[in-house]
Amino acid sequence: MMDMLLEVREISACYGRVDALRNVSLRVAGGEIVTVVGANGAGKSTLLLSILGVVSPTRGQIAFAGQDITRWSVHQRLGSGLVLVPEGRQILVSMTIEENLLLGAHMRRDGGVVRKELEGIYDRFPNLARHRSHNASCLSGGEQQMLALGRAMLAKPRLLMMDEPSLGLSPLFVTKVFELIEEYNRDGLSVLLIEQNTSHALKIAHRATVLELGRVAMEGEPSAMAGSARLQQAYLGGAV
Ligand code: ATP
């Protein structure tokens, strides 16, 4: 059996009387990009929030790096390397670019290493380097997504979770974001990617799960899914 980094076993979650997830299972092995796709309201964000511990599932288990984390706090999970790039990026626009980046490292004690990694991020994102002491409000949406990614990398993720990173970006930046995810993955990063942009996500993922109304509708090889009628159906006729 492959070495599983994340294993979600049959979790269910609800908001009051609204069932958001029903019996959802998901696995991410070390070094993989796994994508979860599905229409608006399918439960994708709830799945991420459950893994992060913000939403408490009503049943099921979650294991990460060989430990049962089902009852762990958000703080403990962050400390163990579960890092989220949230939907909408959540950049603090009244702070500088560098201050935003360093927020990612706030739980770390190895300041010297953080400085080195910060320089590595500036090498990868010259635009962030150029404006490092400027207010983050000067960045475009695409650049803010780079900043959010850089900030997450400074948290030293063992699993990087991204909630719709392509949302609202120009086509050029969409391509750039997916290239960056692949680049980091080639360096060994494991990624759980939530997307409505199915075509891009299925291209870079090693495995995919399709959610439909809170349930797993399909699971497997992304290339086999790309043109499938079942996927189209999960989107209720939406653009795939
Ligand atoms: P989106 O792409 O719009 O974020 P999603 O696939 O991430 O969609 P979720 O946001 O996880 O879906 O929502 C799953 C279900 O839970 C939907 O029916 C949604 O209306 C409901 N829901 C989500 N958040 C809440 C909340 N805070 N209170 C009540 N219901 C919610």
Side-chain angles (χ1 to χ4, degrees):
M1 195 175 112
M2 269 201 285
D3 185 17
M4 283 304 152
L5 180 61
L6 175 76
E7 192 161 2
V8 174
R9 278 183 231 117
E10 302 193 336
I11 63 166
S12 297
C14 59
Y15 301 99
R17 287 201 193 142
V18 180
D19 281 328
L21 294 176
R22 284 180 257 189
N23 267 330
V24 171
S25 297
L26 176 84
R27 295 169 143 208
V28 183
E32 266 189 328
I33 301 175
V34 172
T35 190
V36 176
V37 298
N40 245 327
K44 304 181 299 297
S45 299
T46 305
L47 178 58
L48 275 194
L49 294 175
S50 302
I51 295 168
L52 204 65
V54 177
V55 166
S56 302
T58 51
R59 50 156 297 169
Q61 285 98 38
I62 303 174
F64 182 62
Q67 288 183 285
D68 184 342
I69 64 164
T70 313
R71 314 246 164 270
W72 286 22
S73 67
V74 176
H75 190 77
Q76 278 176 302
R77 294 180 203 216
L78 285 173
S80 75
L82 272 171
V83 176
L84 173 71
V85 179
E87 188 178 324
R89 322 190 248 283
Q90 314 290 350
I91 298 302
L92 298 175
V93 289
S94 60
M95 289 169 73
T96 68
I97 287 165
E98 182 147 312
E99 285 165 348
N100 267 281
L101 283 170
L102 288 173
L103 277 181
H106 79 279
M107 281 175 81
R108 293 175 61 176
R109 298 276 167 269
D110 49 349
V113 182
V114 169
R115 272 333 288 189
K116 259 204 199 119
E117 289 175 18
L118 184 63
E119 290 309 317
I121 283 166
Y122 284 146
D123 286 345
R124 217 181 273 240
F125 305 107
N127 245 359
L128 299 185
R130 217 169 296 129
H131 302 295
R132 63 176 82 185
S133 52
H134 293 171
N135 230 285
S137 57
C138 74
L139 298 177
S140 70
E143 289 167 334
Q144 287 191 4
Q145 185 63 62
M146 307 296 139
L147 178 57
L149 181 56
R151 182 181 57 189
M153 289 311 293
L154 276 182
K156 251 190 180 241
R158 287 178 83 174
L159 177 66
L160 184 71
M161 302 189 284
M162 303 186 85
D163 195 352
E164 307 216 12
S166 74
L167 198 73
L169 299 188
S170 67
L172 197 71
F173 269 114
V174 171
T175 307
K176 177 88 184 142
V177 163
F178 284 103
E179 273 170 13
L180 281 164
I181 297 170
E182 276 191 298
E183 230 172 271
Y184 275 119
N185 174 254
R186 271 196 296 274
D187 294 344
L189 183 68
S190 311
V191 181
L192 179 58
L193 172 66
I194 302 295
E195 262 299 342
Q196 286 202 51
N197 190 333
T198 314
S199 55
H200 265 98
L202 290 178
K203 245 176 240 149
I204 67 163
H206 302 109
R207 283 186 310 109
T209 292
V210 181
L211 280 187
E212 184 181 10
L213 299 174
R215 293 182 195 275
V216 174
M218 284 175 93
E219 210 263 310
E221 262 294 305
S223 56
M225 264 178 215
S228 91
R230 189 76 188 82
L231 181 65
Q232 305 273 356
Q233 191 190 322
Y235 276 84
L236 302 168
V240 176

